[in-house]
Amino acid sequence: MLQISNLSKTYPNGVQALKDVTLNISNGMFGLLGPNGAGKSTLMRTIATLQDADSGSITFNGIDILTQKQELRKTLGYLPQEFGVYPKVSAEEMLHYIARLKGITNDNERKELVKALLEQVNLYNHRTKYLAGYSGGMKQRFGIAQALIGNPALIIVDEPTAGLDPAERLRFNNLLSEIGENIVVILSTHIVDDVNELCNDMAIIAGGKVVQRGNPEALLNSFENRIWSKRVAKDEVASYQKDYKLVLSKLSGGKMVVHVYNETDPGNGFAPEKATLEDIYFANIV
Ligand code: ADP
């Protein structure tokens, strides 16, 4: 169990990136959903012991993350948003190097582990290629392989599918979904569908604050009979925005469809709409 309590962080430039964030996260895939600038990476880096908060606490299975950094690192797998420079080193060599750093000194044990990981992330046939020459999707799959070294109990994956094409994204999400349900996996993303597809628990973060929290299905149920839609002309959208709590407007067949949040039937030609995670996301961040 990961317990984040009253975590706050203000950067030296005055940006308050986290405002009193409290989250309890159990085993399974947890989605942290929020727009760019919401504070996701700040939270992920703090959990990963790479930066400090100003106040609050984080514990993971009895480890105080903010003071027992080395203890946490032994049990952490981290795939950062930016992996930095990909060296002219093969995936196989790099995995050996990281495994050695993580204390797997027995040659045979390490060889077997590296082979198994390369197979798991479907890079075995590309194991001797330089990482620098990998595609975006291959780099992210390599990122998962390195994060899995050392049997982590906590895995943090920060915006993994940003920049991947649809096929690469699908392959990556399938891989993530295979990671055990017996560990905590936190997936930070601004892509609603990633959370839809993968997560059994989630939070929405905006402006450094947790604005929604729960199991996706329960959240959807709480929005039942609250979302209403209507086809409108493009130039009417602004007036709907003024008169209603507009959740989203999107093009469909050349016309605009607006979704509004209302606790009762707003009349005026609106029809009930089955809420999606996208509705909940936009209702909370706008
Ligand atoms: P996200 O990952 O959700 O996009 P971040 O945690 O990267 O959000 O950023 C949250 C806010 O903090 C943003 O306004 C961002 O500009 C700011 N920020 C992030 N890192 C720094 C930093 N090192 N120094 C100053 N401001 C930062």
Side-chain angles (χ1 to χ4, degrees), residues 11-13 15 17 34-43 45 81 158-159:
Y11 285 109
N13 63 359
V15 173
N36 287 332
K40 302 184 296 298
S41 288
T42 301
L43 182 59
R45 288 197 304 262
Q81 189 170 8
D158 196 359
E159 301 259 2

Side-chain angles (χ1 to χ4, degrees), residues 108-126:
N108 283 334
E109 185 191 343
R110 204 177 53 249
K111 263 186 210 153
E112 270 181 34
L113 172 71
V114 167
K115 182 166 184 275
L117 286 170
L118 286 165
E119 281 169 348
Q120 186 177 354
V121 302
N122 209 3
L123 288 173
Y124 188 75
N125 292 338
H126 305 282

Side-chain angles (χ1 to χ4, degrees), residues 215-226 274-275 277 280:
N215 159 278
E217 214 160 307
L219 284 178
L220 288 172
N221 286 339
S222 73
F223 269 64
E224 208 174 341
N225 302 321
R226 298 282 193 274
K274 198 169 162 44
L277 217 44
I280 296 178

